[in-house]
Amino acid sequence: MSNKDQDLFGFNNDSEQEDNVSLDEQEEEDTRFSRSKLQKTSLDSDASSDEDDDEEDNGEEEENNEEEEEEKGDEDNEENELSDMDGYDAPTDLADFGVVSKSDKGREKKRIKALTPEELEKFEKARKKTGVCYLSRIPLFMAPSRVRELLKRHGDVGRIYLVPEDQKITTRRKKYTKNNRRNYVEGWVEFKDKKRAKAVAEHLNMREIGGKRSSRYYAEMWNIKYLPKFKWHHLTEQMAHEKQARQQRLRNEIAQANRENKTYMQNVEKAKMLENMKEKKRKRNVEEEEGIKRTFEQRNKVSRSAAPVDESVKGLLGSIFSKK
């Protein structure tokens, strides 16, 4: 049968319809798959974008926290450097002076808890309210604890720092007087209230310390001055700056000494080389002036005499080469 006959009976139409149905189903399946895939990809992209935004926000918060921790760490390091020095004295609780005490620091390290805005504002107010007085002269062998005892009757005293005298002077005094007590030359005292600090400085300046007549410091004079717009962190920054300057100056001196030593060694080597050259030249000139003759080993003389010739040969040769 031909193709036309098959078409008349409808054999090929059914197959074509089946093929069309199968193709339509495949297209629908493909479209459904693609739509679901697109939906999944869109959801994944949204979720990833949200996660990226959250990560960026968390990263910014962490960076800000790290910066705040670094600033606090720098202040704590400066304070620790000053507290480790001789002549420093401070009460155990410095919360009223705008400073986190050591116990609070330990608890914060364990809990890792930041200050609330109210607490931070409280500390800032307390810090701004403090005042610092400068002692231009400290009575002989007066310790920081004694200074606190004398000044706390006039107001709430916070941190005290007294500058020790030069180590050379201390060593000389210990050598000749056998006195091992520490002497201080100047100092700074922090008061809780700057108004009280100013009043204390005006009241005590150029007055006797007083107290019991049997006291060593009875007739000593106060030399105290209030420092306006000066806080304790200014002192710690200045001390840290001076320490860095000393270290830098020491490094520069060491580098300069190394350069000088290196240059000196190079000059020494160069001088040795020139001296050797001069010595060789001097020896050569001396030899030329003395006229020293050098002797060389000679070989034995070789004899070159000819062997004797027979008389017959002489006669024959003579007849040939004789002159006519």
Side-chain angles (χ1 to χ4, degrees):
M1 294 177 66
S2 64
N3 293 330
K4 291 181 179 180
D5 296 335
Q6 290 178 359
D7 293 336
L8 290 173
F9 289 101
F11 294 114
N12 292 332
N13 293 331
D14 295 336
S15 63
E16 288 178 358
Q17 289 178 0
E18 290 177 357
D19 294 337
N20 293 329
V21 170
S22 62
L23 290 172
D24 295 336
E25 290 177 355
Q26 288 179 0
E27 288 178 357
E28 289 178 358
E29 289 177 357
D30 294 337
T31 54
R32 285 198 301 272
F33 179 73
S34 61
R35 287 175 184 172
S36 62
K37 187 175 182 180
L38 289 172
Q39 290 176 357
K40 288 181 180 179
T41 53
S42 63
L43 291 173
D44 293 337
S45 62
D46 294 336
S48 62
S49 62
D50 294 337
E51 290 178 357
D52 294 336
D53 295 336
D54 294 337
E55 289 179 357
E56 289 178 357
D57 296 336
N58 293 330
E60 292 178 356
E61 291 178 358
E62 289 178 357
E63 289 178 357
N64 295 329
N65 293 331
E66 288 178 357
E67 291 178 356
E68 292 177 357
E69 289 177 358
E70 287 178 357
E71 292 177 356
K72 291 181 181 179
D74 295 337
E75 293 180 357
D76 294 339
N77 291 332
E78 292 176 356
E79 184 66 26
N80 291 331
E81 288 179 359
L82 186 60
S83 62
D84 294 337
M85 298 177 69
D86 190 12
Y88 178 82
D89 185 38
T92 56
D93 188 10
L94 291 172
D96 295 335
F97 297 87
V99 181
V100 180
S101 61
K102 293 183 179 179
S103 59
D104 294 337
K105 287 181 182 178
R107 287 199 296 270
E108 282 184 358
K109 287 182 179 179
K110 291 180 181 178
R111 294 184 300 179
I112 313 177
K113 183 180 178 181
L115 294 175
T116 61
E118 293 78 9
E119 292 176 346
L120 185 60
E121 185 178 359
K122 181 181 177 181
F123 276 108
E124 287 296 330
K125 286 183 179 179
R127 180 181 295 181
K128 291 179 180 179
K129 194 177 179 181
T130 59
V132 179
C133 291
Y134 172 67
L135 300 174
S136 61
R137 179 184 175 276
I138 307 298
L140 197 64
F141 306 126
M142 180 179 282
S145 58
R146 182 62 175 168
V147 175
R148 178 181 298 279
E149 184 180 352
L150 293 172
L151 291 177
K152 70 180 181 180
R153 66 186 69 172
H154 302 286
D156 295 332
V157 179
R159 289 164 287 189
I160 297 175
Y161 175 64
L162 304 182
V163 180
E165 66 180 356
D166 192 8
Q167 188 64 30
K168 295 180 181 179
I169 300 174
T170 304
T171 305
R172 192 183 305 116
R173 187 182 70 252
K174 289 180 180 180
K175 180 179 179 181
Y176 293 104
T177 62
K178 306 298 181 182
N179 188 353
N180 296 327
R181 300 182 66 182
R182 175 70 71 178
N183 190 27
Y184 302 94
V185 293
E186 60 180 356
W188 291 265
V189 181
E190 183 186 29
F191 286 87
K192 182 179 179 180
D193 189 2
K194 56 185 177 182
K195 293 181 180 179
R196 172 64 64 177
K198 187 175 182 180
V200 168
E202 292 178 355
H203 177 69
L204 294 181
N205 190 30
M206 299 305 296
R207 289 197 176 187
E208 291 184 354
I209 294 177
K212 294 182 179 180
R213 290 185 177 273
S214 60
S215 175
R216 173 183 295 181
Y217 310 111
Y218 176 79
E220 294 286 347
M221 305 289 289
W222 284 111
N223 293 277
I224 185 170
K225 180 182 179 181
Y226 173 71
L227 302 177
K229 298 181 181 180
F230 187 86
K231 303 299 178 183
W232 194 261
H233 64 87
H234 294 145
L235 176 61
T236 56
E237 290 173 1
Q238 180 66 21
M239 298 298 293
H241 176 71
E242 291 179 357
K243 184 178 180 181
Q244 291 179 358
R246 286 195 300 270
Q247 292 177 354
Q248 184 65 30
R249 187 165 58 252
L250 181 61
R251 285 195 294 268
N252 293 336
E253 291 177 357
I254 292 172
Q256 180 66 21
N258 291 333
R259 286 195 296 269
E260 291 178 356
N261 189 17
K262 185 177 180 180
T263 305
Y264 175 76
M265 295 303 296
Q266 290 177 354
N267 292 334
V268 169
E269 295 294 333
K270 188 176 180 180
K272 287 182 179 179
M273 184 178 65
L274 294 174
E275 187 67 24
N276 292 333
M277 292 173 65
K278 289 181 180 179
E279 185 67 21
K280 289 180 181 179
K281 187 176 181 180
R282 187 180 61 80
K283 288 182 179 180
R284 186 167 58 250
N285 293 333
V286 169
E287 290 177 356
E288 290 178 356
E289 290 176 359
E290 291 179 355
I292 298 175
K293 295 181 179 180
R294 298 180 181 179
T295 57
F296 299 94
E297 184 178 358
Q298 299 290 334
R299 295 179 181 178
N300 296 327
K301 187 177 180 181
V302 179
S303 61
R304 297 183 181 277
S305 59
V309 183
D310 295 340
E311 293 295 333
S312 61
V313 176
K314 285 183 178 181
L316 180 60
L317 293 173
S319 62
I320 294 171
F321 295 102
S322 62
K323 294 181 181 180
K324 293 181 179 181

